Amino acid sequence: MSTSPTAVLFDIDGTLVDSNYLHVQAWEKAVDGVGRSVDSWRIHAAIGKDSSLLMEAILPGVDDETAEKASDLHSLYYKKLAERLEPLSGARDLIRAVAERGMRVVLATSAPEDELKILREILNVEDQLFAVTSSEDVETAKPRPDIVLVALERAGVDADHAVFVGDTVWDVEAAAKAGVSTIGVRSGGIGSAELREAGAAEVYDDAADILAHLDSSPIAALPAH
């Protein structure tokens, strides 16, 4: 008897690649570049949000011209920092383990295409991927569920046959709105309590920690394929 396919949807920044703190540094320089200042913790707390929501969080009430300049500067500074990007511990091995179980691996991110290209090169797991999303797929990203819904569609699965892996409360909230259970990871700098309060089914340190407990994780609990 045939069974429905299953999928694991992965956020990338802070989940598979150690990039969150580089984003914070890039935004710090970008904000300074438009003559403003903001504490680093406020930037970090907004990482993972849709770009317009992030901008409102770090530069509330800013005019469109200044916001566009800050966004362009962030992109410029982030690319200059990109040589420091590294996969997080266990990221590649977890993706391979999931793929070897016959589950569909989807990179469910709203990163811009230019940043996504860099992240995919860093990860170097193209042969394990079933599908990928980017900022071009939705008008508004997390915490709205749109990117998760696109990821489900591309994976060809319904919400009950997928698990989302992410590092921010915005990941958890977006997945919940799409009806998808979330595994939280602390590797993006958000604590267990916040991730659980947002609705994460389980929280692990990082991808390596998920891999070490894979057989008892929500991934293993997905319907057999």
Side-chain angles (χ1 to χ4, degrees), residues 104-117:
R104 297 175 177 180
V105 175
V106 180
L107 299 184
T109 177
S110 55
E113 285 287 349
D114 55 346
E115 292 181 15
L116 180 57
K117 182 176 184 292

Side-chain angles (χ1 to χ4, degrees), residues 16 91-93 95-96 105 107 119-130:
L16 298 175
R92 291 173 179 152
D93 291 338
I95 287 174
R96 292 193 181 97
V105 175
L107 299 184
L119 294 169
R120 290 175 71 167
E121 289 173 354
I122 294 293
L123 278 174
N124 192 26
V125 291
E126 293 297 304
D127 57 334
Q128 310 293 324
L129 303 181
F130 187 85

Side-chain angles (χ1 to χ4, degrees), residues 187-224:
S187 48
I190 304 300
S192 299
E194 288 180 83
L195 293 168
R196 289 188 185 279
E197 185 176 349
E202 293 289 348
V203 178
Y204 300 87
D205 284 347
D206 52 17
D209 194 21
I210 298 174
L211 183 60
H213 300 91
L214 191 57
D215 288 337
S216 60
S217 75
I219 293 174
L222 285 170

Side-chain angles (χ1 to χ4, degrees), residues 12-13 23 27 49 51 71 74-75 78-79 109-120 132-137 141 147:
I12 304 178
D13 285 302
H23 275 298
W27 276 117
K49 274 189 173 184
S51 57
S71 181
H74 163 266
S75 181
Y78 178 73
K79 288 173 184 174
T109 177
S110 55
E113 285 287 349
D114 55 346
E115 292 181 15
L116 180 57
K117 182 176 184 292
I118 296 170
L119 294 169
R120 290 175 71 167
V132 182
T133 68
S134 76
S135 62
E136 294 187 2
D137 295 315
I147 204 71

Side-chain angles (χ1 to χ4, degrees), residues 3-162:
T3 57
S4 299
T6 56
V8 181
L9 318 177
F10 288 95
D11 171 63
I12 304 178
D13 285 302
T15 301
L16 298 175
V17 176
D18 196 3
S19 56
N20 282 10
Y21 294 99
L22 297 186
H23 275 298
V24 172
Q25 291 177 41
W27 276 117
E28 284 178 329
K29 292 175 67 68
V31 169
D32 183 66
V34 296
R36 305 292 185 91
S37 63
V38 62
D39 293 334
S40 299
W41 74 267
R42 294 189 185 276
I43 299 174
H44 182 260
I47 295 296
K49 274 189 173 184
D50 175 78
S51 57
S52 63
L53 298 176
L54 182 147
M55 191 68 67
E56 181 62 27
I58 65 174
L59 293 174
V62 71
D63 61 272
D64 291 344
E65 182 180 353
T66 303
E68 184 175 355
K69 182 179 179 181
S71 181
D72 289 344
L73 285 172
H74 163 266
S75 181
L76 174 67
Y77 292 131
Y78 178 73
K79 288 173 184 174
K80 288 182 178 180
L81 293 168
E83 64 182 17
R84 292 166 53 188
L85 290 169
E86 294 285 349
L88 282 157
S89 179
R92 291 173 179 152
D93 291 338
L94 176 60
I95 287 174
R96 292 193 181 97
V98 168
E100 286 171 0
R101 289 181 176 228
M103 299 174 178
R104 297 175 177 180
V105 175
V106 180
L107 299 184
T109 177
S110 55
E113 285 287 349
D114 55 346
E115 292 181 15
L116 180 57
K117 182 176 184 292
I118 296 170
L119 294 169
R120 290 175 71 167
E121 289 173 354
I122 294 293
L123 278 174
N124 192 26
V125 291
E126 293 297 304
D127 57 334
Q128 310 293 324
L129 303 181
F130 187 85
V132 182
T133 68
S134 76
S135 62
E136 294 187 2
D137 295 315
V138 294
E139 290 186 9
T140 305
K142 302 161 188 171
R144 286 190 55 172
D146 304 39
I147 204 71
V148 183
L149 294 172
V150 171
L152 288 173
E153 182 179 0
R154 294 201 175 158
V157 304
D158 58 34
D160 291 338
H161 287 74

